[in-house]
Amino acid sequence: MIPRSRPTLCVFYSKWLDTGSYMRAPNQSSSSVPCNMSSLVNSLARERLYSMESDKKKQATVRKESLKSRLQCRSSSQIISQGSSTRGTVNKKLCFEELSQWSHSLEKLMSSKYGIQVFQAFLKSEFSDENVEFWLVCEEYKKIRSSFRMTCKAEKIFKHYIQAEAPREINIDHKTRELIRRNMKTGGTGCFDEAQGIVFRLMERDSYPRFLRSDIYRAFLDSI
C-alpha cells in the first residue's frame, strides 16, 4: 500500500526515480509497473490540489479578519469618543443605533456624519464616488450666503461635474444640463436641485443596496 502522507510520497518518488526502482523486478509482471506509477502520480496530484485549496481558504480568512480588525480600530477612534466608562457606554449605544438606522433608507445614511464617510469610502473602493461627491458639493453650495461666492462656486461645479467630458462628469441627460445653464444665469440655491435629485435616485437604486450587502458595512456592524 502506498502511504498517503505527501512528504513520504515525495521521498519515495524521488528514490524511486534515482535508484531505478521503476524497472521491472525479476518476479514482477510488466503490467504492474505502469499501474503503480499512475497510482503514485494521481496521489501526488490529489495531495497538491488539496494543499492549494487549503492555502486559498486560509488567505481568504486572513484578509477578512484583517479588514474587520482595521474597521474596528477606525470605528473605535472615530465613532466612540474617549472618556469615562459610563460616557463610553452611552456613545457606543448611540453608535449602534445610528448604524442600524443606515439600513432604513438612503436619507438616514446621508444624514449621518459617519454614514456619509463610510458610504463614500465604499463608493471609492468601486471607483464610482462621483455621484455622492457631487451631492455633497451641492449641499455645501446651498450654504453659501454671498452671491459673488455662489456664482464662482456654481461655475466650478458646472465645469467639474456637469459639462460634457467634465473630469467628474455625472450621469444626467442633456435637458437637465441645459436647465442648469439657465439656472446659473439667475443664480440661487436651487441651481443644481434637479441634477442632485437625479444622482440621489441613482444611488438609491444602485449603490445603496450594494453598500448594505458589502463587507465594509457588515464589518462595522460586527465591530459594535
Side-chain angles (χ1 to χ4, degrees):
M1 180 181 296
I2 299 175
R4 292 188 178 276
S5 171
R6 187 171 59 180
T8 305
L9 283 173
C10 292
V11 172
F12 174 79
Y13 186 52
S14 177
K15 291 182 179 180
W16 184 69
L17 290 176
D18 293 340
T19 61
S21 300
Y22 56 88
M23 299 299 293
R24 182 164 57 88
N27 296 327
Q28 187 178 21
S29 65
S30 59
S31 61
S32 64
V33 173
C35 179
N36 290 337
M37 180 179 181
S38 176
S39 176
L40 177 62
V41 171
N42 288 337
S43 297
L44 288 170
R46 285 195 299 269
E47 291 287 339
R48 177 60 178 166
L49 180 60
Y50 176 79
S51 177
M52 292 174 64
E53 290 177 350
S54 298
D55 290 343
K56 289 180 179 179
K57 290 179 180 179
K58 290 178 180 178
Q59 291 174 2
T61 301
V62 169
R63 286 195 298 269
K64 184 176 180 181
E65 291 299 323
S66 177
L67 173 62
K68 182 176 179 180
S69 177
R70 291 197 302 270
L71 289 175
Q72 285 177 336
C73 292
R74 180 178 177 180
S75 176
S76 298
S77 61
Q78 292 185 347
I79 299 178
I80 303 175
S81 64
Q82 300 298 322
S84 64
S85 58
T86 303
R87 184 178 177 182
T89 302
V90 172
N91 285 334
K92 187 171 182 179
K93 181 178 180 181
L94 290 173
C95 182
F96 177 78
E97 292 174 355
E98 184 177 355
L99 282 172
S100 62
Q101 289 288 318
W102 295 356
S103 63
H104 291 182
S105 67
L106 182 57
E107 288 89 349
K108 293 285 187 181
L109 176 65
M110 299 292 275
S111 64
S112 166
K113 174 184 176 181
Y114 297 110
I116 292 177
Q117 293 178 6
V118 176
F119 185 49
Q120 191 170 15
F122 165 72
L123 293 178
K124 281 183 178 180
S125 71
E126 294 193 336
F127 304 99
S128 59
D129 61 318
E130 65 279 353
N131 284 336
V132 68
E133 187 177 284
F134 170 74
W135 190 91
L136 291 171
V137 167
C138 289
E139 290 298 295
E140 293 176 1
Y141 170 78
K142 294 175 182 178
K143 298 175 183 178
I144 299 175
R145 294 293 175 260
S146 167
S147 59
F148 176 76
R149 288 183 57 206
M150 184 172 283
T151 300
C152 294
K153 184 69 173 179
E155 291 176 355
K156 289 181 180 179
I157 293 174
F158 189 87
K159 291 179 181 179
H160 202 66
Y161 299 97
I162 304 298
Q163 70 180 12
E165 305 299 327
R168 303 283 286 169
E169 183 180 2
I170 58 173
N171 186 17
I172 57 174
D173 54 77
H174 178 73
K175 181 180 178 181
T176 303
R177 187 175 288 109
E178 291 305 311
L179 174 62
I180 293 173
R181 287 183 189 274
R182 293 194 298 269
N183 290 342
M184 288 177 63
K185 294 178 181 180
T186 58
T189 56
C191 186
F192 300 100
D193 282 356
E194 185 68 22
Q196 193 178 14
I198 290 173
V199 300
F200 187 89
R201 289 189 290 273
L202 286 173
M203 292 189 293
E204 193 172 37
R205 291 196 306 266
D206 183 35
S207 307
Y208 177 60
R210 291 202 315 275
F211 168 73
L212 295 180
R213 297 191 299 268
S214 69
D215 290 339
I216 291 178
Y217 179 62
R218 294 181 182 278
F220 262 93
L221 288 176
D222 292 342
S223 69
I224 301 301

